Amino acid sequence: MKNLTKGKMWCYAIGQLGWSIISGLIGSWLVYFYQPNQEAINEGMISLIPQGRVVLGILTLIGLVTALGRVFDAVTDPLVGNWSDNCKHKLGRRIPFMRWAAIPLGLVFILVFCAPIHGVSSINTVWLFVTVLAYYFLITCYCTPYTSLLAELPHNQDEKLKLSMCISLTFIVGTCIGYTAPMIWGALIGGGMERIPAMRITFAILSIIATIFMLVPAFGINEKDYCEATPSNSNMMSSLAKTFKNKDFRIFVGQDIIYFFGLAMFQTGLPFFVTSLLQLPESMTTIMFGGLTLLSLAYYPFVTKMAAKWGKKKLLIAAFIGFVLTFGFTALSGEKLGFIPVAAQAVIIVVLGSFPQAIFGIIPQTIVADIALEDEVVTGESRSGMFYAARTFAMKLGQSLAMLMFTSLATIGISESEFIKAASEAKETAAGSPLGYRIVALVASVCCIIGGLIMAFFNEKKVMETIAKVENGVE
């Protein structure tokens, strides 16, 4: 087997740059597009689906659609993971899926934002539901095999950490590119284009770029030069059961669900925090995320060194504490902290969030790779695809709950009578309130407290001792 060179590491990482652009756009702008706040309405946004808590009086349509999409996505993760683990294609177990999924994923992503009726319509709701399901299935078909390679391409802990750092970097950059969207559509609007067409063209441009990036590792890496794993013969349910039989993996997944629930709440809410709480321009979202990216990148070399010295578990718990402070401060931002200028508040949020973001960008995926390798040593069966699929299942479960809760919590402070009155008068009304957005940030902070407590039970020592025996040639 060949050693993993820096060139191949970056070739692999570019794929994450691609899908993170698309994922970042969905996470940041889907709710914003279909459930606009008052500031967006003032800038020319219109409602395309019914607004307010119209499902059983407690759920919003956009929340229900996105949550069901995430649940569907989560359910298909083990299925795709098992398909990939069992794949006997001449190109390997992972690359064929990545080649097949990349272009359809880019096309379907564009369609998500192209609801056919210009105004509130049930047809738009059906369109959104179908395209969101297709989007989540296709991103699973690319990402589950892609992330499985993280456990298979590197041959030691040093390569694993370096590769993880590379994909973390491209993930952050990709997500940051997603936050440049307002600058692009702002330029188009400045040229005379209406807001919604400008946003759709922006999403199409970024999707084409993302698709090209996703194809780079699919055609630039010969999987069999680095991996000699034998395809698994387990069916999906058997493989999934074996995966969750691993106690340390169950603990890791538990904190992951809680973490991604809180993170998705915060990420989805960031454009609203900026415009509604801080009362800053929409474009400030890009600046803040850019600041988070640059500062977190400065921490990357320290994160890898600290992981080697203190262990990954301690770093992850420290990151949870950092996010508790970040999200908690955001919940009070704006007029509640009126003695601090809003620009300074934005800087504080960026500074507080940068270090934990660097840790979570590198450490979790290496922990999954460690657990998968330890399990392979103990059981003699290579099921890294299912480990990453099961982890992604848990991650998306947390995200789906977050999308469901965010869109409902954000409406706290707005009465149903306001939505009804606006609908009867054919007027637009905001689908969220400052109080609702503060509650969202507070819930995200509490989630990180719980996630840190769960992570404290992870037995990192046992996992690493098993791996060390193999790497040192000890039976």
Side-chain angles (χ1 to χ4, degrees), residues 39-52:
E39 288 74 17
I41 291 170
N42 294 341
E43 293 293 329
M45 283 296 294
I46 65 169
S47 299
L48 297 172
I49 62 174
Q51 302 295 301

Side-chain angles (χ1 to χ4, degrees), residues 246-282:
N246 188 304
K247 179 181 177 181
D248 289 303
F249 184 68
R250 293 199 305 271
I251 292 171
F252 178 82
V253 163
Q255 65 83 32
D256 234 23
I257 293 175
I258 299 297
Y259 163 68
F260 277 104
F261 176 83
L263 183 65
M265 294 269 279
F266 186 81
Q267 183 183 29
T268 304
L270 186 56
F272 302 102
F273 302 149
V274 170
T275 58
S276 290
L277 299 186
L278 296 176
Q279 293 291 303
L280 293 170
E282 184 181 69

Side-chain angles (χ1 to χ4, degrees), residues 392-439:
T392 308
F393 172 89
M395 175 185 74
K396 292 171 181 175
L397 178 61
Q399 290 174 330
S400 65
L401 292 173
M403 299 300 283
L404 195 65
M405 292 297 295
F406 174 87
T407 52
S408 295
L409 291 175
T411 63
I412 294 175
I414 299 179
S415 65
E416 288 304 303
S417 61
E418 293 181 63
F419 290 115
I420 295 172
K421 181 180 179 181
S424 65
E425 297 176 357
K427 294 180 179 178
E428 297 291 342
T429 187
S433 72
L435 175 61
Y437 300 139
R438 293 187 193 282
I439 292 174

